[in-house]
């Protein structure tokens, strides 16, 4: 009754932004990500006869409150599916993600938790079922089941049975690099769930966002297949800016960016004007991820580390999907 799994985070090149069903976590639009080898979570789950409730330790600390309830609610679904509603587990999870610096760990966290729990409770699942299960914990986590380039198909069914991730190209398809730029102060003011909801409900730019996705997806998939870095970078950066534009048109308006976020965006654009192929993308927070090819590694690192307000830079290569350890 025990198992352990490892999963990596992913960075969306075409963003998931907005839900059509909040309780089932069904998205308004398809999204596409790259799994990153630099950030991951390992999770061990053991179901024990003597427990009357789950116990969840994150980085060796016993977790209580809302974070604990989110995990037990997630396990409830798996217990139900396995026909063991009264089985409770001790969970030990370790995040190799700088959460304090504003980096999301929910993607790697729920992917590792789903895989370890299903195996520990002896619930046979294929990768597609695991992706659906993981989606219930956090939307973007369903993409972390696979390595490399991954698309999350939004699906059209009301029950969510056709909303899961599919692999587009494996990690060894293309050695593209992602520098995660960690800011000295990276407070996130609007949580992504609240940010998405407010945008869907109030932003006059939101319909334009949804309309823009099919063309972006078709073009970026062609760019990935042909390893056309310029094409992939141009689309990823534009898609990111369009997502962030929707927040500016929400009511009340909001933005995830800080002044250092702008400095990094400018530095990337300056490098590009100087002939270096490099692009940025930004999630629901102030940190920036910078995309480039291996031969530019030194230029990119030294430029980014020289920007005032930048605390650190962590480089990732394409990462693998979820695995048992
Ligand atoms: C993404 N983000 O595609 C987008 C881009 C943030 C910006 O997925 O409510 O933690 O758990 O489904 O997955 C962040 O949202 O939200 C996110 P829930 P999630 O990566």
């Amino acid at each position: 009754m025990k198992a352990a799994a490892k999963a990596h985070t992913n960075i969306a090149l075409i963003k998931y932004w907005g839900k059509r069903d909040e309780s089932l976590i069904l998205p308004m639009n398809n999204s596409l990500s790259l799994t990153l080898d630099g950030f991951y979570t390992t999770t061990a789950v053991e179901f024990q006869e003597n427990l009357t409730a789950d116990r969840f330790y994150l980085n060796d600390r016993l977790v209580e409150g809302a974070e604990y309830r989110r995990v037990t609610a997630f396990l409830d679904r798996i217990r139900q599916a396995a026909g063991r509603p009264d089985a409770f587990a001790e969970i030990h999870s370790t995040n190799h993600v700088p959460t304090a610096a504003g980096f999301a760990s929910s993607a790697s966290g729920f992917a590792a938790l789903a895989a370890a729990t299903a195996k520990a409770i002896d619930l046979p699942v294929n990768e597609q079922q695991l992706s659906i299960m993981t989606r219930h914990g956090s939307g973007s986590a369903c993409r972390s089941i696979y390595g490399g380039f991954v698309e999350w198909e939004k699906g059209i069914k009301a029950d969510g049975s056709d909303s899961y991730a599919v692999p587009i190209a494996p990690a060894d398809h293309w050695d593209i690099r992602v520098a995660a730029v960690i800011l000295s102060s990276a407070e996130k003011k609007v949580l992504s769930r609240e940010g998405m909801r407010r945008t869907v409900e109030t932003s006059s730019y939101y319909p334009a966002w949804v309309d823009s996705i099919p063309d972006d997806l078709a073009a970026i998939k062609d760019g990935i297949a042909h390893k056309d870095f310029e094409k992939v970078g141009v689309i990823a950066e534009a898609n990111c800016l369009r997502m962030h534009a929707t927040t500016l048109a929400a009511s009340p308006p909001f933005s995830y960016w800080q002044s250092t976020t702008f400095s990094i965006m400018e530095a990337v654009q300056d490098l590009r004007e100087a002939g270096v192929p490099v692009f940025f993308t930004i999630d629901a927070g102030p940190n920036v991820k910078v995309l480039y090819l291996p031969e530019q590694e030194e230029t990119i690192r030294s430029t980014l580390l020289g920007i005032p307000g930048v605390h650190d830079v962590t480089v990732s290569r394409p990462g693998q999907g979820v695995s048992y350890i």
Side-chain angles (χ1 to χ4, degrees):
M1 294 294 282
K2 67 178 178 180
K6 174 181 180 181
H8 294 94
T9 59
N10 65 76
I11 175 69
L13 304 178
I14 304 295
K15 307 293 186 188
Y16 149 48
W17 196 242
K19 295 179 179 70
R20 69 174 199 277
D21 183 316
E22 295 203 348
S23 70
L24 292 176
I25 310 201
L26 297 177
M28 287 284 202
N29 63 278
N30 285 27
S31 54
L32 188 146
S33 61
L34 176 61
T35 302
L36 303 178
D37 78 343
F39 302 110
Y40 61 95
T41 301
T42 54
T43 299
V45 175
E46 183 171 13
F47 285 91
Q48 298 173 359
E49 295 291 337
N50 59 330
L51 289 177
T52 53
D54 299 317
R55 291 168 67 82
F56 173 46
Y57 294 85
L58 179 60
N59 299 334
D60 294 325
R61 185 179 54 85
L62 185 66
V63 177
E64 293 171 325
E67 204 179 352
Y68 168 76
R69 286 193 295 278
R70 191 169 168 193
V71 165
T72 55
F74 183 68
L75 257 63
D76 285 345
R77 288 187 156 272
I78 305 179
R79 277 188 274 267
Q80 292 291 346
R84 302 281 308 275
D86 299 322
F88 296 101
E90 186 164 306
I91 304 143
H92 288 267
S93 202
T94 306
N95 269 338
H96 301 265
V97 179
T99 30
F103 276 89
S105 55
S106 64
S108 54
F110 279 104
L113 181 62
T117 306
K119 189 170 182 201
I121 205 165
D122 217 8
L123 177 66
V125 281
N126 59 30
E127 284 181 318
Q128 188 181 100
Q129 291 165 325
L130 192 57
S131 179
I132 290 175
M133 189 181 279
T134 302
R135 191 197 76 224
H136 289 284
S138 187
S140 55
C142 81
R143 299 185 306 235
S144 277
I145 298 304
Y146 297 101
F149 295 88
V150 182
E151 182 174 0
W152 173 12
E153 294 183 352
K154 66 186 170 75
I156 52 169
K157 293 183 182 170
D159 67 0
S161 58
D162 58 351
S163 182
Y164 47 75
V166 292
I168 297 295
D172 63 6
H173 168 68
W174 193 12
D175 185 11
I176 200 169
R177 300 281 163 91
V178 179
V181 189
I182 300 160
L183 309 195
S184 306
S185 153
E187 196 190 332
K188 182 159 152 177
K189 296 187 200 92
V190 183
L191 293 175
S192 51
R193 279 197 183 180
E194 160 60 16
M196 280 187 208
R197 181 183 306 132
R198 196 190 301 174
T199 307
V200 172
E201 288 174 359
T202 69
S203 176
S204 57
Y205 292 0
Y206 191 73
W209 158 259
V210 174
D211 288 348
S212 74
I213 299 295
D215 286 352
D216 275 5
L217 264 176
I220 206 164
K221 282 158 83 171
D222 183 68
I224 292 165
H226 295 98
K227 302 185 197 179
D228 182 339
F229 184 71
E230 183 80 17
K231 186 168 188 175
V232 168
V234 165
I235 295 162
E237 192 171 298
N239 182 270
C240 153
L241 291 171
R242 216 177 302 118
M243 175 203 124
H244 286 269
T246 67
T247 73
L248 295 176
S251 178
F254 64 104
S255 173
Y256 289 106
W257 299 347
Q258 295 177 0
S259 56
T260 309
T261 312
F262 277 102
S263 304
I264 299 163
M265 291 158 71
E266 277 172 6
V268 167
Q269 285 165 347
D270 288 348
L271 277 170
R272 213 154 57 217
E273 273 166 30
V276 180
V278 54
F279 299 88
F280 63 77
T281 186
I282 306 164
D283 279 339
N287 293 304
V288 183
K289 307 242 175 29
V290 176
L291 312 171
Y292 60 92
L293 293 170
E295 54 268 28
Q296 303 296 345
E297 182 110 5
E298 271 322 301
T299 308
I300 303 296
R301 272 186 78 89
S302 60
T303 303
L304 294 173
L305 285 167
I307 299 170
V310 169
H311 175 67
D312 203 2
V313 173
T314 303
V315 171
S316 281
R317 298 172 185 222
Q320 300 295 331
V322 74
S323 60
Y324 292 102
I325 51 177

